[in-house]
Amino acid sequence: MTLRELALAKIRQAIISGYFKAGDRLVERNLCEELGVSRTVVREVIRYLEAEGLIENLPKKGPIVAVLTWEVAEQIYDIRLLLESEAAKDCATVATRDDKKNLHQKLLRIAKASRDQDDIERVEASQDFYEALFSIAKHHIAWEIVQRLNSRISRLRALTLRSPARQVAGFERMSRIYEAIEENNAQQAKEAVIQHLTEAASLAKSILTTEEK
């Protein structure tokens, strides 16, 4: 991994985890000192994260952590609901024994991260699970669309994972999706995704609208 890639991963994780909060200024000099990299590297990373929607560059203020509003989050959840529910349905239709083993291993990774209360690992493991699900379903273009949103999706996942108001554990919801796929029950897989995302969206709305007041 290059210095740029390492710096990118560290700043992205710092934003997703909430170490850098919405509206925080990102001072180049401080980032250079903390990460041990040049200003050129930091500027490249900031441009990359701006393209991902995690950073905004404001006139006379410079780069700040992007404010995540419910208006933006709602659109992301709507896109996820459409693409992930269809991918889960088709995945359940075609999943082979080997596919199910692969998904189960990724589910176990989520379980371990949940036990360890490692939010960043849970976010990354969840992304890994969905990537496999889309791949099995052969929804490659849909996954390309999801990938463009993945940093903001990860930020929303981390936000809802930290909330004590979460009614059903994320791992339990993911387990229901896996169980439907394991049984090749397409409709149940689709419904499990819809239930999971509807609850997550409701929780995100509650958190974000409260922060916006």
Side-chain angles (χ1 to χ4, degrees), residues 157-202:
R157 279 199 183 110
L159 181 75
T160 56
L161 280 170
R162 291 193 297 269
S163 172
R166 197 177 183 102
Q167 293 176 3
V168 179
F171 174 69
E172 185 178 334
R173 288 292 190 199
M174 301 289 276
S175 295
R176 292 177 189 177
I177 296 168
Y178 167 75
E179 286 163 8
I181 293 170
E182 202 275 333
E183 295 170 4
N184 293 111
N185 189 326
Q187 189 57 36
Q188 190 174 312
K190 180 175 182 176
E191 288 172 2
V193 169
I194 292 170
Q195 288 173 354
H196 176 46
L197 290 179
T198 299
E199 180 184 308
S202 177

Side-chain angles (χ1 to χ4, degrees), residues 133-153:
L133 186 153
F134 274 78
S135 178
I136 293 164
K138 293 185 169 51
H139 285 210
H140 304 303
I141 301 301
W143 179 248
E144 286 180 17
I145 294 169
V146 172
Q147 276 187 304
R148 291 178 197 141
L149 298 171
N150 258 335
S151 288
R152 281 180 282 189
I153 290 172

Side-chain angles (χ1 to χ4, degrees), residues 70-192:
W70 170 241
E71 182 182 4
V72 170
E74 184 177 24
Q75 294 176 62
I76 292 171
Y77 279 113
D78 285 346
I79 292 167
R80 287 187 64 193
L81 191 65
L82 177 63
L83 298 182
E84 290 178 20
S85 63
E86 289 301 311
K89 182 185 74 172
D90 287 350
C91 178
T93 301
V94 302
T96 64
R97 183 179 298 177
D98 286 344
D99 291 331
K100 294 170 190 176
K101 283 182 180 178
N102 182 31
L103 274 178
H104 190 248
Q105 288 301 312
K106 297 181 187 305
L107 187 68
L108 292 178
R109 182 185 170 195
I110 299 172
K112 183 178 185 306
S114 298
R115 287 194 303 272
D116 295 343
Q117 296 186 324
D118 185 338
D119 287 348
I120 289 295
E121 174 64 10
R122 276 197 281 183
V123 166
E124 292 178 356
S126 296
Q127 182 177 319
D128 198 28
F129 178 90
Y130 277 109
E131 183 175 7
L133 186 153
F134 274 78
S135 178
I136 293 164
K138 293 185 169 51
H139 285 210
H140 304 303
I141 301 301
W143 179 248
E144 286 180 17
I145 294 169
V146 172
Q147 276 187 304
R148 291 178 197 141
L149 298 171
N150 258 335
S151 288
R152 281 180 282 189
I153 290 172
S154 293
R155 196 174 172 194
L156 286 166
R157 279 199 183 110
L159 181 75
T160 56
L161 280 170
R162 291 193 297 269
S163 172
R166 197 177 183 102
Q167 293 176 3
V168 179
F171 174 69
E172 185 178 334
R173 288 292 190 199
M174 301 289 276
S175 295
R176 292 177 189 177
I177 296 168
Y178 167 75
E179 286 163 8
I181 293 170
E182 202 275 333
E183 295 170 4
N184 293 111
N185 189 326
Q187 189 57 36
Q188 190 174 312
K190 180 175 182 176
E191 288 172 2

Side-chain angles (χ1 to χ4, degrees), residues 3-86:
L3 278 176
R4 188 190 70 82
E5 290 169 337
L6 191 59
L8 175 62
K10 285 185 175 180
I11 297 177
R12 184 191 284 122
Q13 285 186 358
I15 293 171
I16 290 169
S17 69
Y19 176 80
F20 290 140
K21 294 178 173 52
D24 281 357
R25 282 191 65 214
L26 298 173
V27 181
E28 285 183 8
R29 183 181 66 257
N30 295 346
L31 291 174
C32 291
E33 290 173 0
E34 287 181 34
L35 298 168
V37 296
S38 68
R39 286 204 174 196
T40 300
V41 169
V42 167
R43 286 170 184 165
E44 287 176 1
V45 167
I46 286 172
R47 282 197 296 271
Y48 198 97
L49 292 175
E50 189 177 0
E52 289 186 359
L54 293 183
I55 288 176
E56 295 178 65
N57 225 318
L58 301 182
K60 299 182 180 179
K61 193 169 184 180
I64 67 164
V65 176
V67 175
L68 187 57
T69 65
W70 170 241
E71 182 182 4
V72 170
E74 184 177 24
Q75 294 176 62
I76 292 171
Y77 279 113
D78 285 346
I79 292 167
R80 287 187 64 193
L81 191 65
L82 177 63
L83 298 182
E84 290 178 20
S85 63
E86 289 301 311

